[in-house]
Amino acid sequence: MTETLTAALLKCDLADATGLSENCLPLVHDAVEVAATGHGVEAGFPRWEGDGASAYFLGCDAAARAVRAALDAVERVRIIPGYEVRLRASVGVGEVQKGADLTKVSP
């Protein structure tokens, strides 16, 4: 029998990103990465695709940590000085096999 772990996937993206300066995107990335890292994101995450990111959290408290990371990221992005930026975030919870390659897991 294969052991499974609780997994929470945090997805976030910028609302109305088309009007943002290219100078703002690195600030957003930094804010989201600090928030995710501070709440125990898995190594190699968050992963960025354009103006959106995904991050996996594993373990019995994965959902709580992902939600806290989402709230933290939304607030960190909201207070970036000189920009009016909104970050949308959602969290999904499920199970993955222990040792699974999270880069190949479908949300």
Side-chain angles (χ1 to χ4, degrees):
M1 181 175 200
T2 305
E3 186 178 351
T4 60
L5 297 169
T6 299
L9 173 62
L10 165 60
K11 300 280 282 180
C12 56
D13 72 316
L14 292 171
D16 303 321
T18 53
L20 288 178
S21 160
E22 287 184 23
N23 297 332
C24 183
L25 289 179
L27 300 173
V28 170
H29 287 199
D30 288 348
V32 172
E33 289 178 22
V34 166
T37 301
H39 294 283
V41 71
E42 291 301 303
F45 290 93
R47 290 191 176 243
W48 289 92
E49 296 175 23
D51 67 345
S54 60
Y56 275 98
F57 297 80
L58 296 178
C60 60
D61 63 344
R65 288 185 293 120
V67 169
R68 285 194 299 270
L71 293 170
D72 190 9
V74 167
E75 180 61 13
R76 286 176 183 275
V77 168
R78 187 188 69 77
I79 63 171
I80 292 174
Y83 297 97
E84 288 187 28
V85 185
R86 274 189 328 118
L87 186 73
R88 295 180 290 219
S90 62
V91 173
V93 180
E95 291 186 341
V96 296
Q97 290 184 353
K98 186 174 184 178
D101 181 353
L102 296 175
T103 62
K104 297 182 179 175
V105 173
S106 297

